[in-house]
Amino acid sequence: MLAKQKREFLTAREVKPTGWLRRQLEIQAAGLSGNLDKVWPDVRDSRWIGGDREGWERVPYWLDGFIPLAWLLDDKDMQARATRYIDAILERQQADGWICPCTKDERADYDMWALMLIGKVLALYGDCTGDPRIEGALYRALRQFEEHISGLTLFDWGSARWFECLIPIYWLYERRPEKWLLDLAVRLQAQGVDYESLYRNWIYDKPARRWDYLSHVVNTAMMLKGSALMSRVDGRDPDAFAEAAWQTLMRDHGMACGHFSGDECLAGTSPIRGSELCSVVEAMYSYEWLAALTGKDKWCDRLEDAAFNALPAAISPDMWSHQYDQMPNQVQCSRFPEGEKPFGTNGNDANIFGLEPNYGCCTANFNQGWPKLALSALMRTEEGLAMSAIAPVRANVVIGGSKVECEIETNYPFEDGYRVRVRVDRPVTFALDLRIPGFAESARVDGAAAQPGAPFRVEKEWQGETVLTVEMAFSARYEQRPSGMFCLRRGPLLYSLPIKERWNRVEYTQNGVDRKFPYCDYEILPMSPWNYGFTGKEPVLVRGEVGEVPFSPEGAPVWLEVEMAQVEWAMGRGACEELPRSDKAIAPPEMMRLIPYGCTNLRMTEMPMTMRS
């Protein structure tokens, strides 16, 4: 038997974004994600649809975000384009169920990670559309996969990411509860990487400049949910391993933005090491699943931390370009001179903004982040509904025979609260679990005290329209980092010193792929001093308006006025030095504006406490 989840995801037919989140998805649709099939040969001309370009992970990665984006926005053109890809994939499925684009002679060497990924995509498309073809196609594909791995065991990425296939397996089992599907889950676990053993015998406490599947940051972000997913079959605690692994990662490789470093493998705690954008969106997806599987709100805190800080920081405000690696202290984004890069195994261009800096996986994969956050904000429970992220969405579901509309109205994380509007067409009793983040100091629901870090349950007979108001108190605080320096946080947001910037457009063709405006590359150069330290005085919060592009230096809706002073801090060849040469102030203090980390392109995040000279 398959154990139940604590919470169930809603589909894009049931939930829609509103407010600033809808605007963020519209920006994404108008940018690279919404146009990749028009401009990028690896998607436009992929073997998945009969072309001659890449036929492995890039089309499935892109569809994994493009499909929910299209249906969340009810964009008919995008929906038609997504369906064209699904039609082509289904039409090319072989008689024996094989669905990936390779010949029979190539199957033995084909990394089955692509099968796991397209399985997730098909299930997602089925949820968005209700397409009756999906169940049968996925059934045949997984049956063939079971036969395939009986003679050819998992290797490389398939072995490192085996648990991702549990998502389509469970999706199918819930529609066709046949024992062989759960047996397949057991086979995958036996053939895949044993991360639990790895973390019991931890050997990656220090960064290494050697590429390694086991410390690869995207594999790491994905594996956080692996044991929790498998717990539905083996009955173990879904939370225990994920929590222990997360604590280990944040201790040895934690970044100020709440994510862990990896450029391309785990990279320590230095503020000038990077973390791959793919790892951010995969960590978010793991946290979404962990919130669903465990019902514990700590995973919701971690989801919001990644979503509101690390995710937007690595994507340009117009979402036409992105970085492979983001750095907490990022004073310049340019190609590093040979031998000068601070990264472990990534290339010299890994932190420029562009079409596919360093490698194209993030080009296709980053677009799942915002759509899946929208799909995770409200989840179904046996008792009713639960919030798993505070974001403006509207859900329409049926509970107890009543049509229920539940809307979260908020500018959070740019405001300190939210409202929930519940409308029912007939009286119905159910429980609504309101989210109270763990980083709130206190909270009140319609005036009643609520405990931070735990859901606030409202269970009653709902009639007509009800509005609940949630108010939260946050305070700005300096947090010491392993570097000995400090960062400044307030509630869900990390704050950084923005650096005035000049964007240099770089257009060229490489390996037959054009980089031309608006999907060209950019180098970003600093145009203002960045060598500052905190004086330790209490910051002052200032609020503006949430505009058309909230995650941008110019559009930051909130900021902190902070007293700071310049210190002696040198620039290397493309990056600042890891630490200042002195923490003594070299100029009088001045008031500076710090904006949310996710609104910055160039920034300083970890800075010293200055000593007066």
Side-chain angles (χ1 to χ4, degrees), residues 398-414:
V398 176
I399 301 175
S402 176
K403 293 180 180 178
V404 177
E405 180 180 276
C406 182
E407 183 171 5
I408 305 171
E409 301 173 344
T410 188
N411 282 323
Y412 181 93
F414 307 118

Side-chain angles (χ1 to χ4, degrees), residues 373-414:
L373 178 73
L375 289 173
S376 302
L378 279 165
M379 295 186 184
R380 196 187 307 272
T381 67
E382 286 192 346
E383 299 86 5
L385 292 170
M387 291 177 59
S388 293
I390 304 172
V393 298
R394 180 187 302 116
N396 285 280
V397 297
V398 176
I399 301 175
S402 176
K403 293 180 180 178
V404 177
E405 180 180 276
C406 182
E407 183 171 5
I408 305 171
E409 301 173 344
T410 188
N411 282 323
Y412 181 93
F414 307 118

Side-chain angles (χ1 to χ4, degrees), residues 478-556:
Y478 295 100
E479 293 183 353
Q480 188 164 21
R481 299 289 303 146
S483 63
M485 297 187 291
F486 292 80
C487 65
L488 186 55
R489 293 190 64 100
R490 185 184 183 277
L493 295 176
L494 173 68
Y495 284 79
S496 296
L497 175 67
I499 302 169
K500 292 181 181 179
E501 57 200 38
R502 185 179 81 233
W503 288 61
N504 289 343
R505 185 187 301 176
V506 183
E507 297 182 303
Y508 60 102
T509 300
Q510 180 175 299
N511 299 325
V513 180
D514 291 333
R515 277 87 163 164
K516 61 182 180 182
F517 181 81
Y519 52 94
C520 56
D521 289 355
Y522 295 92
E523 294 191 329
I524 312 178
L525 304 179
M527 302 299 291
S528 63
W530 50 264
N531 54 315
Y532 283 87
F534 299 110
T535 66
K537 287 195 174 179
E538 185 174 350
V540 176
L541 177 72
V542 183
R543 297 189 186 277
E545 297 294 324
V546 178
E548 286 294 291
V549 188
F551 288 102
S552 66
E554 301 78 17

Side-chain angles (χ1 to χ4, degrees), residues 261-279:
S261 66
D263 55 26
E264 177 129 333
C265 299
L266 295 172
T269 59
S270 167
I272 59 168
R273 292 295 293 265
S275 196
E276 184 181 337
L277 177 52
C278 271
S279 73

Side-chain angles (χ1 to χ4, degrees), residues 68-382:
L69 181 64
W71 268 267
L72 284 165
L73 292 177
D74 289 322
D75 187 301
K76 301 305 180 187
D77 174 68
M78 292 173 64
Q79 290 174 358
R81 286 153 56 201
T83 298
R84 181 174 75 85
Y85 275 77
I86 296 299
D87 288 347
I89 291 166
L90 296 183
E91 288 165 5
R92 286 167 174 78
Q93 187 171 23
Q94 301 299 303
D96 65 354
W98 185 273
I99 202 168
C100 298
C102 71
T103 66
K104 280 194 174 182
D105 290 341
E106 295 171 323
R107 289 185 184 183
D109 296 322
Y110 191 87
D111 189 332
M112 297 307 290
W113 157 236
L115 180 279
M116 303 173 189
L117 186 48
I118 200 63
K120 291 199 304 178
V121 167
L122 290 173
L124 182 59
Y125 183 80
D127 283 339
C128 287
T129 65
D131 189 327
R133 300 174 298 168
I134 298 303
E135 184 179 319
L138 191 53
Y139 186 95
R140 294 190 299 276
L142 291 176
R143 263 296 192 191
Q144 202 288 327
F145 183 42
E146 178 200 37
E147 179 181 339
H148 179 81
I149 65 169
S150 295
L152 294 164
T153 56
L154 297 176
F155 58 86
D156 292 352
W157 300 104
S159 178
R161 301 173 177 179
W162 62 270
F163 42 81
E164 297 291 319
C165 199
L166 299 180
I167 295 168
I169 287 172
Y170 295 165
W171 186 91
L172 185 59
Y173 183 85
E174 286 164 351
R175 290 154 180 80
R176 298 191 186 185
E178 299 179 15
K179 183 177 181 297
W180 70 268
L181 284 164
L182 302 188
D183 292 345
L184 176 57
V186 173
R187 288 190 175 93
L188 290 171
Q189 182 186 40
Q191 292 189 20
V193 170
D194 182 357
Y195 288 101
E196 294 193 44
S197 175
L198 177 66
Y199 278 74
R200 281 195 305 270
N201 303 281
W202 186 236
I203 57 175
Y204 294 107
D205 55 324
K206 299 290 190 297
R209 294 184 182 271
R210 183 181 72 177
W211 200 95
D212 188 333
Y213 275 110
L214 299 182
S215 68
H216 187 272
V217 69
V218 182
N219 294 345
T220 298
M222 291 176 171
M223 72 85 199
L224 284 169
K225 65 182 174 296
S227 290
L229 284 165
M230 195 64 197
S231 73
R232 297 189 68 191
V233 173
D234 62 26
R236 287 178 297 170
D237 179 353
D239 184 68
F241 171 70
E243 178 64 20
W246 187 87
Q247 293 290 348
T248 298
L249 289 167
M250 296 308 293
R251 180 195 69 204
D252 294 340
H253 306 284
M255 302 168 70
C257 60
H259 187 51
F260 38 87
S261 66
D263 55 26
E264 177 129 333
C265 299
L266 295 172
T269 59
S270 167
I272 59 168
R273 292 295 293 265
S275 196
E276 184 181 337
L277 177 52
C278 271
S279 73
V280 176
V281 295
E282 294 295 354
M284 287 174 57
Y285 191 49
S286 286
Y287 301 151
E288 289 156 4
W289 269 106
L290 285 161
L293 291 161
T294 70
K296 295 190 175 182
D297 267 27
K298 64 186 176 183
W299 298 112
C300 305
D301 285 356
R302 294 160 187 175
L303 169 61
E304 290 185 6
D305 216 352
F308 300 145
N309 296 294
L311 174 62
I315 308 169
S316 62
D318 65 3
M319 297 193 77
W320 269 106
S321 62
H322 69 282
Q323 296 178 288
Y324 198 80
D325 288 336
Q326 64 178 286
M327 305 156 73
N329 285 357
Q330 183 166 278
V331 301
Q332 183 168 308
C333 296
S334 60
R335 286 171 172 80
F336 288 99
E338 198 60 41
E340 297 290 332
K341 64 181 181 181
F343 308 129
T345 61
N346 285 342
N348 293 347
D349 66 342
N351 83 324
I352 68 167
F353 283 76
L355 174 65
E356 49 176 323
N358 192 75
Y359 191 71
C361 57
C362 293
T363 307
N365 192 27
F366 81 81
N367 71 141
Q368 70 167 298
W370 288 120
K372 289 186 180 178
L373 178 73
L375 289 173
S376 302
L378 279 165
M379 295 186 184
R380 196 187 307 272
T381 67
E382 286 192 346

